[in-house]
Amino acid sequence: MNLQSLNGDGALDHPSLPPLHRNRHFIVLMSAQLISNLGDWLHLLALLTMIGMVWQATPMQITWTTLCIVLPMLVGGPLAGVLADRLNRKWLMIFADLIRVLLVFSLLWATQLWHVYLILIGKSIFDVLFSPAKNAKLREIVPPPQLPQAVTISSSIEQGCKIAGPALGGLLLAIAGVQWSFVADAATFLLSGLILLALPGREYQRQAMQTASRDAEPEERERQRSFWSDLVTGVRYMLHMRIIGYGTLLLCMVLLVLQLADSQTIVLFRQIPGIQQSLLGWCMTASGVGTLTAAWLSSRLNFSHLSKMSAGAGLMGLVFVVVGPIAAMVHAGSLTTGLLLLSFWLVGIGAGFAFIPFQVLLQQHTPVHMTGRVFGTVSSLTSASSATGPLLGGLLVTSAGVTPAFVLAGSLLTLIGITGLVRVKDKRMSPSMVKKV
């Protein structure tokens, strides 16, 4: 890209923008994401199989496994966002990839749950470092008019890996066992890091941010920047941009309630007599297909982002209310398999509508020089919800059983969806919602 043609938003100031498939830097970033996301699903399926089906972990042990993944995101999200705005994003992503290669390889020697806990905490720390840098880089290299399309492509890649990842993971598990899934995941991080070498580096990032900052308020340009002032600025911007604040609140509520049941899905599977381990992978595939369906529909439906998020929450809630009690009464068989696949597909559609429009909204209303800070803060808030939900879900399943957990989560998600739709209709979320208070 020609840096001299960057406009005040960090976008290319061309009369007619070239299509995204001609944006070489975007293709490089998406290629690295594709390979890394594919490995993530290989790793997750192998981990769930090892802990939940082979080691027969209790609901609380599954909860602690989830917490080891999300807690570093809770405490490190805003700090990682500041680092993404102050350091070389390209090398920050590559460094995170290389460390994750070593951490995932170490799962080959894990023999006890506390081994897994430590490894997951370490890996999650570097996941936290990678994510805001990747999102900020996307905002940096894609012109604003193309951001919705770019975010949809990025989300579609992530969800598409839910199709290929579990299928390939199931094949690896059947042929060679859990260990080869971990090896394959480590290899994907290594390849991702190598691909990222082709991205533009610090000079491109500096010019994009300097150009964007020229349109910032004078006091913002002139203040003496510090680590903590950067952090506070990101939080303050979110509070002033009301549509982002409301969207973040809605997303956090959905994640909190969703994780009450979703984190204990493996327990729901185990209570079905005669269930096959391989069905978990196929259900993940169905969920990925559903989310891809939502990504396709979302770009074609003329509804607000907040309306789509609310509708997605309601759909997931209705499915949970139905599938929880039914799963407690059936045995393994073709009818049960079809029911589970359909349920996961519908939940995937709901998840796509709940999550993808929010990412588009966030990218559209965040300036390039603050992307890392805003995304880091959002990551911290959503991680808090993702951490609290599994903890409450583990306690609930331990005390009352997995079926009540699914019914309660489904009822609350349905209520959140209906309330969100009513609020959006009443408030209209008009253009004034995207202006600073």
Side-chain angles (χ1 to χ4, degrees):
M1 291 184 177
N2 184 358
L3 292 177
Q4 295 179 347
S5 64
L6 287 170
N7 63 25
D9 292 319
L12 290 177
D13 191 14
H14 292 307
S16 178
L17 291 172
L20 278 176
H21 71 267
R22 293 184 181 177
N23 185 330
R24 183 172 62 87
H25 298 145
F26 175 73
I27 295 301
V28 168
L29 186 61
M30 291 300 98
S31 298
Q33 178 190 334
L34 170 63
I35 295 170
S36 180
N37 287 163
L38 181 63
D40 284 339
W41 285 104
L42 294 176
H43 157 265
L44 181 61
L45 180 59
L47 192 65
L48 288 174
T49 301
M50 182 176 72
I51 294 175
M53 305 297 282
V54 178
W55 292 2
Q56 291 291 303
T58 66
M60 285 308 302
Q61 288 173 332
I62 295 173
T63 293
W64 292 123
T65 302
T66 304
L67 291 178
C68 287
I69 297 174
V70 300
L71 281 178
M73 300 179 185
L74 169 62
V75 300
L79 302 183
V82 173
L83 290 176
D85 283 342
R86 296 176 69 88
L87 300 180
N88 189 317
R89 294 164 181 168
K90 169 184 173 178
W91 290 106
L92 191 61
M93 289 187 286
I94 292 174
F95 176 71
D97 271 338
L98 294 180
I99 297 300
R100 288 185 290 180
V101 171
L102 301 176
L103 290 170
V104 174
F105 258 127
S106 64
L107 284 171
L108 295 171
W109 293 275
T111 57
Q112 300 182 47
L113 273 172
W114 70 268
H115 297 161
V116 175
Y117 294 159
L118 291 178
I119 293 170
L120 290 179
I121 290 172
K123 179 180 178 295
S124 185
I125 289 173
F126 290 94
D127 290 339
V128 172
L129 287 176
F130 186 93
S131 184
K134 188 268 290 184
N135 287 319
K137 202 68 176 177
L138 181 67
R139 179 65 178 82
E140 174 190 325
I141 63 180
V142 174
Q146 294 179 326
L147 271 177
Q149 181 187 2
V151 173
T152 299
I153 292 173
S154 180
S155 299
S156 297
I157 288 174
E158 181 177 347
Q159 301 307 324
C161 289
K162 292 183 182 181
I163 300 174
L168 182 57
L171 181 61
L172 286 172
L173 287 171
I175 296 176
V178 170
Q179 287 75 12
W180 281 105
S181 294
F182 296 144
V183 171
D185 188 32
T188 60
F189 287 122
L190 178 59
L191 184 55
S192 172
L194 293 174
I195 291 174
L196 289 171
L197 290 171
L199 278 179
R202 185 65 172 176
E203 185 61 26
Y204 189 97
Q205 176 180 332
R206 184 183 298 113
Q207 292 193 37
M209 294 177 68
Q210 287 176 350
T211 304
S213 66
R214 284 199 294 267
D215 290 337
E217 297 177 356
E219 60 268 25
E220 177 68 17
R221 296 197 313 267
E222 296 172 2
R223 68 180 177 84
Q224 185 70 29
R225 292 186 61 186
S226 69
F227 186 85
W228 290 108
S229 64
D230 278 350
L231 181 60
V232 171
T233 299
V235 175
R236 186 173 63 233
Y237 181 83
M238 287 183 57
L239 293 177
H240 287 176
M241 191 65 75
R242 286 182 290 173
I243 193 169
I244 293 181
Y246 182 77
T248 302
L249 176 62
L250 179 59
L251 181 64
C252 287
M253 291 191 297
V254 171
L255 283 172
L256 173 64
V257 177
L258 176 63
Q259 288 296 324
L260 285 174
D262 190 60
S263 62
Q264 300 297 325
T265 299
I266 192 69
V267 179
L268 183 73
F269 268 73
R270 287 199 322 228
Q271 76 171 0
I272 302 175
I275 201 71
Q276 297 293 319
Q277 293 183 10
S278 60
L279 183 57
L280 178 62
W282 290 114
C283 286
M284 285 186 176
T285 300
S287 176
V289 172
T291 312
L292 281 176
T293 304
W296 180 80
L297 289 173
S298 181
S299 62
R300 288 162 175 78
L301 294 178
N302 189 24
F303 298 110
S304 71
H305 297 313
L306 297 177
S307 295
K308 295 173 186 177
M309 292 174 66
S310 300
L315 176 58
M316 288 189 290
L318 292 174
V319 174
F320 279 7
V321 168
V322 173
V323 77
I326 292 179
M329 299 183 294
V330 298
H331 289 71
S334 57
L335 183 60
T336 300
T337 298
L339 172 65
L340 290 173
L341 290 174
L342 175 62
S343 299
F344 272 76
W345 178 66
L346 291 174
V347 168
I349 292 178
F353 278 119
F355 303 143
I356 295 175
F358 176 77
Q359 291 297 322
V360 175
L361 182 152
L362 199 60
Q363 291 277 11
Q364 285 178 331
H365 300 295
T366 303
V368 65
H369 63 287
M370 294 184 62
T371 306
R373 281 164 281 181
V374 172
F375 272 82
T377 303
V378 169
S379 175
S380 182
L381 293 173
T382 55
S383 296
S385 300
S386 298
T388 306
L391 182 59
L392 296 177
L395 294 172
L396 179 60
V397 172
T398 301
S399 60
V402 68
T403 298
F406 269 77
V407 173
L408 176 62
S411 301
L412 291 175
L413 282 172
T414 304
L415 179 61
I416 290 172
I418 294 174
T419 303
L421 288 172
V422 171
R423 177 173 172 78
V424 170
K425 182 178 180 181
D426 287 345
K427 298 296 182 181
R428 300 286 179 186
M429 297 303 172
S430 64
S432 63
M433 291 293 288
V434 303
K435 295 179 180 179
K436 292 184 179 180
V437 180

